[in-house]
Amino acid sequence: VRVEQNGVLVLSDGRALTLEGIRLPMGAADHAPVGPADQARATLLRLARAGTVTATASAPKEDRYDRVRVQGFVDTDWLQRTLLEQGLARVAISPDRTECAAELYGFEAIGRRAGRGLWASAAYRIRTDRDDWRPDVGTFQVIEGQVKRVTDRDGAILLDFGNDGRSGLLVKVVGADRRNFRGAGLDALNGRRVRVRGIVQNSAGRPMIALSNPAQIEVLNP
């Protein structure tokens, strides 16, 4: 019956579905124009009303707000795929999910290379580790750069993109999230170009993204 501001689909029986593995543009919350956000919600509502909605979910099915986490389909149309290929969403992998990650990244790349939807806006451009990060604090961003060193210090795994250990992007894995990275081969990322995504935070004057899932990292060609 409607699509919420955050992209949640609300059904006529009151159930709420959240499309797993993607993040719709959020306008002001992204420090970005509202156009892509409005377009994404309108397109999702049109797609969902075009036929019979089928949703598949795996345990744990609900999030903490009792919304059902799904891969959504309308007839044969995979909603995540359509939104990503049209540039109306970005991939956002949950801490406890890995299914479909490779496919979702592929769909996103199609929309990004074509410059569709949000990718036509400078506000949603892929950042580099050399960009001024301060305006992005508190927002979800996709950032590319070269890992200069990988260290394990004070209970945290650190991917340091800076040359001097005091500046540049810092990617961190801490606490219970470290279990998710066992066998992920983070040491092999030293010197590699990667793409990471998550919420940008300020860590002692440095931009920092905390990772909870190895699928948040895409290893790029040299």
Side-chain angles (χ1 to χ4, degrees):
V1 295
R2 70 179 183 276
V3 175
E4 303 283 6
Q5 289 291 110
N6 56 4
V8 170
L9 281 167
V10 180
L11 307 182
S12 57
D13 62 5
R15 285 180 296 173
L17 308 181
T18 182
L19 296 179
E20 188 65 38
I22 66 171
R23 180 186 181 98
L24 269 62
M26 298 287 289
D30 292 335
H31 301 173
V34 298
D38 291 343
Q39 183 185 2
R41 290 197 306 275
T43 298
L44 178 54
L45 185 59
R46 175 180 56 80
L47 291 169
R49 287 178 168 172
T52 299
V53 175
T54 302
T56 65
S58 56
K61 289 195 305 181
E62 291 88 14
D63 64 13
R64 58 182 173 176
Y65 304 108
D66 295 323
R67 301 174 301 203
V68 185
R69 307 162 62 188
V70 304
Q71 297 295 328
F73 302 85
V74 175
D75 300 328
T76 60
D77 187 11
W78 186 4
L79 294 177
Q80 277 92 332
R81 176 175 185 169
T82 299
L83 292 169
L84 289 168
E85 289 186 346
Q86 292 187 15
L88 299 178
R90 291 175 290 178
V91 175
I93 304 297
S94 299
D96 60 342
R97 290 288 199 255
T98 57
E99 72 271 13
C100 304
E103 292 92 336
L104 295 177
Y105 280 132
F107 302 149
E108 180 191 271
I110 291 172
R112 187 172 63 245
R113 287 194 295 264
R116 297 174 184 145
L118 62 86
W119 301 112
S121 170
Y124 287 104
R125 75 188 187 283
I126 291 183
R127 272 53 171 176
T128 74
D129 55 353
R130 297 179 298 278
D131 284 338
D132 181 3
W133 55 273
R134 288 168 294 184
D136 293 331
V137 169
T139 66
F140 180 92
Q141 297 295 339
V142 183
I143 306 178
E144 292 182 1
Q146 184 184 43
V147 179
K148 298 301 195 303
R149 65 189 63 83
V150 180
T151 59
D152 191 332
R153 186 173 72 242
D154 299 329
I157 303 172
L158 303 175
L159 277 62
D160 196 334
F161 290 67
N163 290 312
D164 57 9
R166 296 185 300 275
S167 61
L169 177 66
L170 193 64
V171 171
K172 184 179 294 188
V173 182
V174 297
D177 290 330
R178 290 180 58 127
R179 291 195 297 268
N180 297 334
F181 288 81
R182 289 173 182 166
L186 292 185
D187 288 341
L189 296 180
N190 192 22
R192 299 295 301 274
R193 286 193 60 80
V194 303
R195 183 184 298 134
V196 298
R197 58 190 66 211
I199 303 296
V200 177
Q201 304 173 51
N202 184 343
S203 177
R206 298 182 65 177
M208 188 271 287
I209 289 180
L211 299 185
S212 55
N213 190 325
Q216 289 175 265
I217 305 173
E218 295 175 86
V219 180
L220 307 177
N221 291 329

